Amino acid sequence: MTTHALDRSAGVERFGYRQELQRSLSFRDLVTYGLIFMVPIAPFGIFGSVFQAASGMVALAYLLGMAAMMVTASSYGVMVRAYPTAGSVYSYAGRAIAPWFGFLSGWTILLDYTLIPGLLSLVAAVSMTAVVPSVPVWVWIVVFVVVNAGINLTGIRSTRRTNTIALVGALAVLGLFIVAAVMALASGAGRGFSWEPLFSGTQFRAGTILTAMSVCMLSFLGFDAMSTLAEDVKGGPRQVSRGMIAALGIIGVLFVVQSFLAALLVPAPDALIADGDPGGTAFYDAARVAAGPWLATVTALATALAWGLSNNMVAQVATSRLLYAMARDRQLPGFLAKVSVSRSVPVNGILLTAAVSLVLGLSMAVRADGITVLASLVNFGALLSFIVVHLSVLARGLRKDRPRVAGWFRCWALPVAGVVILVAVIVNANALAQTVGFVWLGVGVLVLAWLAATGRAPRLSGIGGAGADADHLAGHRG
């Protein structure tokens, strides 16, 4: 039997589920989804924060961040081929380690997925207020949330078409900036060519770079959400694994290039390192040096639309799929497992995600540090979930009665390296995020205890039955 046939035969039906979501996404659609979620121009919005944290070596932070995410993507690829369901880390940990561990993993990543749409709406609203001062922040938040929910409710095909248009627009603005920046540097603008954005012997400290990585990881969040589309993509889980690597490689190169050029054009780099970027305008200031006020306005507007519409849209899709997967396993209220027959989308999951985004966005809009707080929490939840994925791969490898999913390098060396890197990043992360993140995990433990006491202890469909056969089948594909 061929590998492709094996992938097809190891569908969700073998885990005790029905295939309710329509497989309508191609490999190109999947990569587009990942690029949109990560946003090709994501560094525009947080460039100043990463620059300060990295002591100017912003391109190095993005380069190492891409390497760390590539290692994590490898483990996601192993697990999505073994368990091709929509639950992502929730399903992987639950099946590879234990159902209760899967619940806690799903609970942890909910902190990431549930907060991301609210964060994106808030960032975009603040950016739009800078462009159109007469419209208050809360109005833009409502607009972004409602528009995204409306498009997602019409079906995954509408989301796909909108994604393609948004990606083309973001790449066009990025290309415009790159050309303008290169021409400006060639004409003597900025501080001239230097390798300092990649490495500075006088500024380099391991702790400094790890802290910067904990900030810039926000730009990479989204490749993992591609795993939630395992039941939407044509060709099965093999395509998801390939799509993650492709999207990360493309986006990583774009991040390094744009941050490198912007770092050379920043008007006052020493002041940015010392005082930070409270207004969030560091990248736009660099664009102004490159080509004038018009480019600063274009890049600011592009950031608002990318974060508030395209990125927010796919974030809602990923969150609704996670809610759907946990609800059909009775770990969340059953109404979240409802799928529209005509549009093949988890309707209630989308509506709940929109409601939470609206409440979070509006409540954080009145805080001066609202964006910082949300961003820190999102990063912390994501990094913990990435560690769990690596642990899930290692747990499968320790089962001597099961064939190996892939070679020793992907099943042992890379997961161990991934855990070490991510733990180091978490240790150097924001203290508030660490506190709230572990409090959220503690609440998850209480919820787990309540589920067990009420006879709803975590149990994934197919474990010990058809799912075991699929697990064994998946083990021969490496």
Side-chain angles (χ1 to χ4, degrees):
M1 187 178 291
T2 66
T3 300
H4 293 290
L6 285 169
D7 280 336
R8 287 195 300 269
S9 65
V12 294
E13 294 85 355
R14 296 185 61 86
F15 292 92
Y17 300 124
R18 288 189 300 115
Q19 178 67 44
E20 298 181 285
L21 303 177
Q22 184 179 1
R23 292 190 179 276
S24 60
L25 299 182
S26 66
F27 176 76
R28 185 178 66 178
D29 295 329
L30 188 65
V31 173
T32 299
Y33 175 91
L35 293 177
I36 285 296
F37 206 145
M38 288 183 280
V39 186
I41 57 176
F44 285 17
I46 62 173
F47 172 79
S49 299
V50 180
F51 190 96
Q52 181 189 34
S55 294
M57 292 174 288
V58 59
L60 177 62
Y62 274 108
L63 182 62
L64 295 179
M66 177 181 67
M69 291 300 94
M70 282 288 193
V71 172
T72 302
S74 173
S75 288
Y76 265 102
V78 171
M79 298 311 294
V80 76
R81 292 181 64 186
Y83 308 116
T85 61
S88 187
V89 65
Y90 156 70
S91 294
Y92 307 155
R95 297 180 185 281
I97 301 176
W100 65 267
F101 196 83
F103 170 82
L104 288 179
S105 302
W107 181 266
T108 299
I109 202 172
L110 273 177
L111 182 64
D112 169 15
Y113 280 28
T114 305
L115 296 181
I116 280 181
L119 169 64
L120 297 174
S121 298
L122 178 57
V123 171
V126 171
S127 299
M128 283 302 298
T129 302
V131 177
V132 188
S134 60
V135 180
V137 171
W138 70 267
V139 172
W140 288 115
I141 292 176
V142 173
V143 168
F144 288 131
V145 171
V146 171
V147 169
N148 283 309
I151 294 175
N152 283 331
L153 284 172
T154 63
I156 195 70
R157 290 184 178 179
S158 297
T159 305
R160 178 182 61 194
R161 287 191 293 267
T162 306
N163 284 350
T164 302
I165 296 172
L167 179 60
V168 171
L171 290 175
V173 173
L174 178 56
L176 187 64
F177 168 77
I178 291 175
V179 171
V182 170
M183 293 178 63
L185 289 169
S187 64
R191 51 175 166 156
F193 182 82
S194 169
W195 289 111
E196 288 188 357
L198 270 175
F199 184 79
S200 172
T202 59
Q203 298 288 347
F204 180 83
R205 301 288 186 280
T208 297
I209 295 302
L210 287 171
T211 300
M213 287 174 63
S214 73
V215 179
C216 78
M217 288 293 188
L218 180 64
S219 301
F220 290 99
L221 299 188
F223 84 88
D224 55 304
M226 296 169 71
S227 65
T228 67
L229 296 180
E231 297 180 39
D232 294 272
V233 68
K234 300 174 185 176
R238 184 180 180 85
Q239 294 289 64
V240 178
S241 178
R242 292 176 56 225
M244 284 183 178
I245 298 297
L248 269 175
I250 295 171
I251 209 77
V253 171
L254 295 178
F255 286 173
V256 171
V257 170
Q258 65 190 276
S259 62
F260 182 88
L261 293 173
L264 297 177
L265 292 168
V266 169
D270 293 336
L272 182 57
I273 293 174
D275 304 326
D277 184 29
T281 62
F283 194 96
Y284 315 132
D285 293 339
R288 183 175 289 104
V289 172
W294 70 270
L295 186 57
T297 300
V298 168
T299 51
L301 183 59
T303 301
L305 296 179
W307 285 58
L309 291 179
S310 55
N311 194 7
N312 205 335
M313 191 183 308
V314 292
Q316 280 191 1
V317 169
T319 305
S320 65
R321 263 54 176 185
L322 178 61
L323 295 173
Y324 162 76
M326 294 185 71
R328 72 178 175 185
D329 285 328
R330 300 179 64 241
Q331 305 309 302
L332 289 177
F335 78 93
L336 293 173
K338 177 180 175 56
V339 174
S340 168
V341 176
S342 60
R343 297 185 294 274
S344 187
V345 294
V347 176
N348 291 336
I350 292 174
L351 292 175
L352 178 61
T353 302
V356 172
S357 301
L358 191 60
V359 172
L360 278 173
L362 294 176
S363 61
M364 286 294 176
V366 301
R367 294 177 56 114
D369 62 345
I371 292 177
T372 301
V373 171
L374 278 180
S376 299
L377 292 174
V378 166
N379 278 352
F380 189 82
L383 294 176
L384 278 183
S385 68
F386 294 164
I387 291 175
V388 168
V389 172
H390 290 306
L391 293 178
S392 299
V393 175
L394 293 172
R396 284 181 56 83
L398 290 173
R399 296 181 181 181
K400 299 184 183 299
D401 60 322
R402 294 178 182 272
R404 290 163 60 181
V405 180
W408 69 269
F409 187 70
R410 291 190 71 187
C411 286
W412 294 100
L414 287 181
V416 169
V419 170
V420 171
I421 294 170
L422 293 174
V423 168
V425 173
I426 285 179
V427 168
N428 288 272
N430 180 278
L432 176 61
Q434 294 175 347
T435 301
V436 177
F438 283 119
V439 167
W440 174 261
L441 185 58
V443 173
V445 172
L446 295 178
V447 173
L448 178 62
W450 178 77
L451 288 173
T454 56
R456 296 174 59 191
R459 180 179 180 276
L460 295 180
S461 177
I463 290 184
D469 293 335
D471 196 24
H472 178 83
L473 187 65
H476 286 286
R477 287 199 297 269

